[in-house]
Amino acid sequence: MRDPRHMRPIEALPREVIDRIAAGEVIERPASVVRELIDNALDAGATAIRIELRDGGLRLIRVSDDGCGIEPEELAIACQPHTTSKIHSLDDLTSITTLGFRGEALSSIAAVAELEIISARNAEGLATSLLLQPGDESGKLDVVTRSSWGTTVTVRDLFSNVPARRSLLRGPRTEAAHALSVARAYALIHPAVRFILTDDGQLILQTPGTDLLATAVSIYGSDVGRALLPFGPLYVDDAALSGLVATRSFTFPTREHVFVAINGRPITNRALVSAIESGYRPVLHKGRHPLLVANITVPPDSLDANVHPGKAEVLLRQESALAPYLRETIHHTLGNAPISATQISHPIAPTFAVPLQLHLPTIRKRRGLTLGERKRAYTPSQGSATPHDADEPAISALSQLQSLGQFEETIILAQSPQGHLYLVDQHRAHERILYEELVRQRAHSSSLPSAATAPDDEPTNTTPTTGIGQLLLEPILVELTPSQAEILSPRLAELAALGLDCQPFGGSVFLVRAVPHLPGSAQQPAAFARALTQDASEDSDDWIDHLCISLACRSAIRRGQPLTLAEQQRLLDDLRTAATTSVCPHGSPLALRYSKSFLTHAFEW
Ligand code: ADP
Ligand code: MG
């Protein structure tokens, strides 16, 4: 047992505190009971928490911990409304250090279910039990034995006395899946605590109680373990940030596996979650989300945990300082991790092969399978690593690469100083380099008066350039639809900053005098001008980024273009200086890595 975070007596809260508490319905379903009981166990300093469900928690939820326990004479008090040992005055509300503080959970549970608490405050296991029927005020106290120090709370037949609420609950599998989501989040956020979750005796989750990496592996499997990139600790003001993100080899169709915690509490803070998403969005495929754990620690007085009845939202003073930091960290960590070719089998649409623990609803279906079928069912069909690179952790940055030659005039074969083999897609690599150049140009050139004005000393060659824009020999007329013209008109200044000099020419016709100039681009200027003007009139908030991506894509070296060894090397060197080195601007992988150990074993060298 660790030192609990509170050692004070359990007391009724003063009226003025009760009035300030964001109270509400805290118990909605079995998962909310699980959440409240885990909070209590953690607050009691537990190092191991066992959660047992029967029928997904509809029939029974039992949470046992090895925490500090409850004094026998305080058991009944703990189940009264607004009784707590965690805060005692209004001042305490402003610096909460525990997960619970409202003194509501046990009483709210007791109002809608049978509640039994057995608690021992000594190693001999001499314990007191209290059994409360729904609505029962006093309950029944007994002296019992328990194998050790700690508390076991059992909740039976949730909402049996409130049929209207009971009817809103889903089936056992869905309810178990919700409870699993809660337990999984707490297990990742408190990796030093051992968590066990069973449903009808079947083990669903078991974590080692060590560190975050080992906990993530215990939940998601060893393949994911090799794709995990830790980050932090990083410090912003007085906040600390650390966590991990899985490489793009393992992504999910939902945000379900993106976990954010503040001071040990899983939260859904919109600003932080959207900062995280804007960090990974450019480097993952559309619609895919990573496995990500972000643990944020702040001084307790900079946090208001008292804004949401379910305690799922908090107000955070450092929110606006943290958000860009979080975005950059995630973008940088994910965007520079070279992708191991042996850890993916389908780089275009990576899917995460769901191990047993993750999709409860399918467990029972699989009970009837033969052993062979079971093995296949639980073995990842995609995303599986070969046993030979089992000792290869994910690496977080592209190393200095030396070009060996071109394959099919499409892929550059290269080697790293560590002896790993890299396959680099020449088009995507160049696209990434050009895209970043454009982003840089945009940042620098927004101060220039007109992007396409040729300087006085411009040499009189056929296609003079301005450094940003390249003047066309003959201006091009581009005709748009009236609605496109309306979208494009207010964007002309921003286009000029990119080097696209485009002026209204009456009606929905525009005159293009210069197009962006990108080094190494082999575009036909006229077709380029037309295509870009079309792209620039796209009806979207991200149009400028889409335009930069499209510009980079249209200008980049094509697949099928022969490159000399020196050109290949220049491309690799330029790529290394990019801010994001592992994916093209569309979010597709641009390099694959075959580790030396994989090659050694595969060829049995
Ligand atoms: P809160 O957690 O907001 O204080 P609860 O109704 O959840 O309110 O719990 C009431 C009190 O009962 C807690 O303040 C704590 O002192 C005690 N308690 C509840 N669960 C446990 C536990 N598992 N171990 C030790 N004490 C507990
Ligand atoms: Mg509580």
Side-chain angles (χ1 to χ4, degrees):
M1 190 196 69
R2 298 176 309 165
D3 276 349
R5 285 180 258 172
H6 65 98
M7 292 296 285
R8 295 185 285 180
I10 305 179
E11 291 172 352
L13 284 171
R15 189 75 241 167
E16 51 173 6
V17 182
I18 295 175
D19 292 344
R20 285 281 297 278
I21 280 176
E25 288 292 341
V26 289
I27 305 303
E28 283 175 8
R29 59 186 345 147
S32 19
V33 174
V34 169
R35 180 178 177 130
E36 291 295 339
L37 298 183
I38 293 177
D39 274 356
N40 281 350
L42 290 169
D43 283 344
T47 62
I49 300 176
R50 182 182 184 95
I51 306 144
E52 292 167 61
L53 308 176
R54 300 261 166 225
D55 280 352
L58 296 172
R59 202 145 59 84
L60 177 141
I61 304 157
R62 176 173 290 143
V63 177
S64 311
D65 67 54
D66 61 350
C68 66
I70 306 174
E71 293 289 355
E73 61 278 12
E74 289 189 330
L75 263 185
I77 303 172
C79 300
Q80 299 294 315
H82 307 298
T83 52
T84 180
S85 58
K86 301 171 193 175
I87 61 167
H88 293 279
S89 67
L90 269 186
D91 276 357
D92 294 342
L93 258 189
T94 56
S95 62
I96 291 165
T97 54
T98 48
L99 298 167
F101 56 88
R102 293 181 182 139
E104 274 202 317
L106 292 181
S107 63
S108 309
I109 296 169
V112 293
E114 179 189 297
L115 174 68
E116 184 185 26
I117 308 180
I118 298 176
S119 195
R121 283 179 65 89
N122 56 64
E124 296 76 51
L126 193 61
T128 311
S129 76
L130 173 69
L131 182 68
L132 284 170
Q133 295 302 329
D136 181 0
E137 291 277 294
S138 48
K140 189 170 164 298
L141 273 173
D142 260 325
V143 175
V144 294
T145 49
R146 196 180 183 274
S147 56
S148 65
W149 198 300
T151 304
T152 300
V153 180
T154 307
V155 177
R156 292 191 182 87
D157 298 323
L158 187 63
F159 296 137
S160 59
N161 61 336
V162 199
R165 299 287 299 277
R166 176 92 185 181
S167 67
L168 293 178
L169 297 178
R170 306 285 295 277
R173 292 176 195 183
T174 309
E175 293 302 338
H178 284 294
L180 169 62
S181 293
V182 170
R184 192 164 49 206
Y186 276 93
L188 288 164
I189 290 161
H190 295 270
V193 177
R194 262 187 320 122
F195 281 81
I196 291 179
L197 171 64
T198 63
D199 183 28
D200 291 337
Q202 187 165 5
L203 186 64
I204 302 174
L205 175 122
Q206 181 167 27
T207 65
T210 52
D211 57 27
L212 180 54
L213 279 178
T215 302
V217 168
S218 71
I219 297 174
Y220 292 93
S222 53
D223 287 352
V224 173
R226 285 187 291 277
L228 295 177
L229 301 161
F231 57 81
L234 307 157
Y235 301 93
V236 191
D237 294 345
D238 47 4
L241 164 68
S242 66
L244 56 77
V245 57
T247 63
R248 58 200 312 296
S249 319
F250 294 94
T251 58
F252 299 88
T254 67
R255 281 182 200 81
E256 202 191 335
H257 304 278
V258 173
F259 303 93
V260 187
I262 302 184
N263 291 1
R265 188 193 303 281
I267 52 113
T268 49
N269 175 302
R270 205 166 303 153
L272 297 181
V273 170
S274 82
I276 288 175
E277 176 144 7
S278 60
Y280 67 72
R281 183 52 47 231
V283 289
L284 293 187
H285 277 290
K286 213 165 169 241
R288 306 297 299 182
H289 304 269
L291 159 62
L292 189 149
V293 182
N295 260 315
I296 296 163
T297 321
V298 295
D301 61 357
S302 56
L303 185 75
D304 186 355
N306 185 27
V307 290
H308 185 263
K311 296 176 286 182
E313 278 172 31
V314 291
L315 289 181
L316 181 66
R317 182 163 51 72
Q318 295 88 341
E319 184 180 288
S320 52
L322 263 174
Y325 224 82
L326 206 49
R327 184 180 57 235
E328 272 315 298
T329 303
I330 287 159
H331 189 137
H332 187 81
T333 310
L334 256 184
N336 289 308
I339 292 152
S340 166
T342 50
Q343 284 179 14
I344 47 167
S345 53
H346 201 318
I348 305 304
T351 48
F352 176 68
V354 178
L356 163 65
Q357 305 96 304
L358 288 176
H359 270 208
L360 262 176
T362 57
I363 290 176
R364 287 167 205 203
K365 244 194 284 166
R366 287 178 179 160
R367 276 189 185 148
L369 299 182
T370 65
L371 192 64
E373 283 167 335
R374 265 169 187 257
K375 257 190 146 171
R376 270 198 304 283
Y378 298 149
T379 304
S381 56
Q382 295 188 346
S384 63
T386 65
H388 303 304
D389 61 359
D391 54 346
E392 282 283 325
I395 58 170
S396 58
L398 187 70
S399 32
Q400 183 78 56
L401 297 181
Q402 189 200 335
S403 177
L404 304 171
Q406 217 183 356
F407 171 74
E408 292 268 298
E409 296 173 346
T410 295
I411 285 168
I412 300 170
L413 306 182
Q415 85 180 45
S416 75
Q418 298 77 24
H420 304 312
L421 172 68
Y422 280 77
L423 309 188
V424 180
D425 181 317
Q426 65 191 43
H427 173 71
R428 289 182 183 172
H430 196 209
E431 220 176 19
R432 165 55 67 189
I433 295 161
L434 293 181
Y435 170 77
E436 292 203 3
E437 175 62 27
L438 277 168
V439 172
R440 251 193 311 276
Q441 275 185 15
R442 246 186 89 208
H444 288 155
S445 66
S446 41
S447 56
L448 291 181
S450 167
T453 311
D456 293 343
D457 59 353
E458 190 61 59
T460 51
N461 60 16
T462 46
T463 54
T465 67
T466 64
I468 302 168
Q470 170 183 317
L471 284 176
L472 298 173
L473 273 182
E474 277 188 38
I476 308 272
L477 286 176
V478 181
E479 186 167 0
L480 300 175
T481 65
S483 60
Q484 281 180 313
E486 202 178 309
I487 293 170
L488 185 67
S489 297
R491 296 177 174 174
L492 297 180
E494 273 178 281
L495 291 178
L498 274 177
L500 183 67
D501 180 7
C502 182
Q503 302 297 331
F505 200 70
S508 46
V509 178
F510 288 81
L511 183 72
V512 182
R513 293 175 53 232
V515 290
H517 173 69
L518 287 168
S521 162
Q523 275 288 329
Q524 286 297 321
F528 196 36
R530 280 200 187 88
L532 289 183
T533 313
Q534 293 282 347
D535 288 344
S537 49
E538 173 193 296
D539 185 10
S540 131
D541 289 343
D542 294 339
W543 69 275
I544 190 99
D545 199 49
H546 291 176
L547 182 73
C548 289
I549 293 175
S550 149
L551 194 51
C553 181
R554 290 172 196 282
S555 312
I557 296 168
R558 306 268 128 208
R559 300 200 177 101
Q561 184 175 327
L563 299 175
T564 65
L565 209 53
E567 287 168 331
Q568 296 164 28
Q569 190 59 50
R570 191 168 333 121
L571 198 65
L572 296 177
D573 293 345
D574 288 351
L575 178 63
R576 190 144 186 265
T577 65
T580 300
T581 53
S582 75
V583 289
C584 77
H586 300 281
S588 297
L590 61 80
L592 293 179
R593 179 175 68 105
Y594 285 87
S595 72
K596 187 177 182 179
S597 64
F598 167 77
L599 295 170
T600 309
H601 284 98
F603 288 99
E604 294 174 3
W605 284 336

